[in-house]
């Protein structure tokens, strides 16, 4: 939960770096402008979140999905963000998948994994046969 | 593999996920926030910060480098663009009287730029 209002601020240093990367070399940002951008970013998060939530609720979903967010961005005229975000999302999903796989692989040897899989499917087939026979 | 390392670096978000989650929770009649949604929102916010700064800079200072992005550049951008309407209460709220007057002046002159493109010069001379 939010205990202090400052908990809703985004870290100054990161915001400053992001802005610097976006502007031409050698340009400056006044402190007031930086604070305003940071505030705007917080409000942006709330704005997009609540719009996405409304969209999810309209479809009788309780939790928002990535799709809801992308659709919301399109509807709110931030469609220029969507292509790059879609790419990032794909890369993120791939990364998560890779992580999961490498975790699974490190837990058990690949060959034994295959063996168990094939033996268990054999067992399942046998069980199915048994069921058929019982009928 | 090299490719993989690259994408991982690109995926490294700079804003803290936990903070973004806190902000999201403050707004929703809170459902679950999946990691994927949190990641997407964080990236999205980073894009927004850069987009907002870049737009304000180029709108007021064109592409000249070495200029300072100031508060009034931001508020001008917000006032002019419908899609930034949600920031109207946020950005003007922070300004001081002197800045407000400056902004008014800038807004007036830029508004007359649009309204009477040819008349601006003589008008300014009158004043």
């Amino acid at each position: 939960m939010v205990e202090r209002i400052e908990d809703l601020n985004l870290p100054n240093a990161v915001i400053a770096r992001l802005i610097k990367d976006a502007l031409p070399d050698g340009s400056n940002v006044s402190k007031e402008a930086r604070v305003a951008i940071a505030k705007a970013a917080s409000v942006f998060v709330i704005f997009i979140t609540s719009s996405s939530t409304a969209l999810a609720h309209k479809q009788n979903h309780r939790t928002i999905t990535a799709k809801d967010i992308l659709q919301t961005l399109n509807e709110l005229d931030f469609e220029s963000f969507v292509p790059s975000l879609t790419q990032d999302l794909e890369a993120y999903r791939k990364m998560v998948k890779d992580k999961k796989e490498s975790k699974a692989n490190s837990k058990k040897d690949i060959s034994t994994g295959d063996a168990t899989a094939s033996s268990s499917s054999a067992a399942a087939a046998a069980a199915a046969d048994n069921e058929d026979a019982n009928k | 593999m090299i490719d993989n390392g690259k994408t991982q670096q690109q995926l490294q978000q700079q804003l803290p996920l936990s903070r973004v989650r806190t902000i999201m929770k403050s707004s929703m009649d809170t459902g679950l926030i999946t990691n994927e949604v949190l990641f997407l929102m964080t990236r999205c916010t980073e894009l927004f910060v850069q987009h907002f700064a870049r737009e304000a800079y180029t709108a007021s200072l064109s592409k000249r480098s070495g200029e300072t992005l100031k508060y009034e550049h931001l508020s001008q951008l917000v006032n002019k663009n419908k899609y930034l309407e949600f920031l109207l209460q946020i950005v003007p709220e922070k300004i001081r009287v002197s800045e407000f007057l400056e902004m008014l002046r800038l807004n007036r002159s830029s508004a007359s730029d649009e309204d009477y493109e040819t008349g601006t010069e003589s008008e300014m001379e009158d004043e």
Side-chain angles (χ1 to χ4, degrees):
Chain A
M1 265 288 93
V2 183
E3 277 153 21
R4 300 166 310 155
I5 195 74
E6 297 90 65
D7 289 346
L8 297 181
N9 292 347
L10 291 161
N12 238 323
V14 183
I15 296 287
R17 188 171 352 118
L18 285 169
I19 299 172
K20 196 163 170 273
D21 288 349
L23 299 183
D25 286 344
S27 44
N28 291 309
V29 186
S30 79
K31 184 164 180 264
E32 284 151 318
R34 180 159 35 77
V35 172
I37 291 176
K39 285 256 153 70
S42 294
V43 174
F44 175 80
V45 173
I46 293 173
F47 180 54
I48 298 298
T49 306
S50 66
S51 307
S52 304
T53 310
L55 185 68
H57 283 183
K58 232 197 279 176
Q59 301 164 314
N60 286 326
H61 296 155
R62 301 220 74 197
T63 40
I64 50 177
T65 61
K67 212 175 126 212
D68 292 328
I69 294 182
L70 293 174
Q71 197 184 328
T72 301
L73 289 171
N74 269 324
E75 282 171 12
L76 297 176
D77 289 337
F78 287 104
E79 70 277 347
S80 61
F81 294 2
V82 172
S84 146
L85 284 175
T86 310
Q87 266 182 9
D88 288 346
L89 190 63
E90 267 164 30
Y92 175 82
R93 283 176 173 156
K94 189 170 172 296
M95 190 191 77
V96 171
K97 206 176 138 217
D98 286 353
K99 246 186 204 163
K100 241 185 208 165
E101 271 167 12
S102 68
K103 219 178 186 179
N105 286 346
S106 67
K107 266 187 186 164
K108 52 185 177 184
D109 197 27
I110 300 166
S111 59
T112 56
D114 279 349
T116 355
S118 59
S119 70
S120 71
S121 69
D129 280 347
N130 275 343
E131 258 182 39
D132 280 345
N134 285 341
K135 278 175 192 168
Chain B
M1 266 330 213
I2 297 160
D3 236 350
N4 222 340
K6 234 189 207 168
T7 47
Q8 283 222 3
Q9 206 176 30
Q10 281 167 4
L11 285 179
Q12 198 94 64
Q13 50 302 109
Q14 310 190 42
L15 288 169
L17 291 171
S18 58
R19 185 51 60 94
V20 173
R21 183 192 290 276
T22 310
I23 298 172
M24 288 178 80
K25 283 206 167 166
S26 78
S27 92
M28 295 156 84
D29 33 324
T30 312
L32 247 136
I33 300 168
T34 62
N35 284 339
E36 188 177 278
V37 162
L38 184 59
F39 164 80
L40 190 65
M41 185 59 85
T42 307
R43 288 297 290 178
C44 185
T45 310
E46 288 171 3
L47 286 183
F48 171 76
V49 167
Q50 302 198 311
H51 172 88
F52 190 33
R54 198 183 299 121
E55 288 292 302
Y57 192 93
T58 48
S60 301
L61 307 163
S62 68
K63 290 234 162 73
R64 278 176 291 159
S65 57
E67 300 284 338
T68 300
L69 180 67
K70 294 197 182 119
Y71 182 89
E72 58 258 34
H73 302 142
L74 299 172
S75 49
Q76 264 183 305
L77 188 75
V78 170
N79 273 304
K80 275 189 197 156
N81 288 280
K82 188 96 178 31
Y83 78 105
L84 293 175
E85 210 175 19
F86 70 101
L87 292 175
L88 269 179
Q89 295 141 314
I90 302 305
V91 178
E93 210 174 39
K94 291 201 51 58
I95 66 180
R96 299 186 184 127
V97 175
S98 58
E99 284 169 344
F100 180 68
L101 293 174
E102 174 74 356
M103 193 184 98
L104 261 188
R105 192 180 66 77
L106 286 171
N107 267 348
R108 220 177 271 151
S109 67
S110 65
S112 54
D113 266 0
E114 283 164 12
D115 290 350
Y116 339 88
E117 262 176 20
T118 47
T120 318
E121 264 186 24
S122 58
E123 216 177 49
M124 275 165 69
E125 275 169 14
D126 286 349
E127 282 173 3

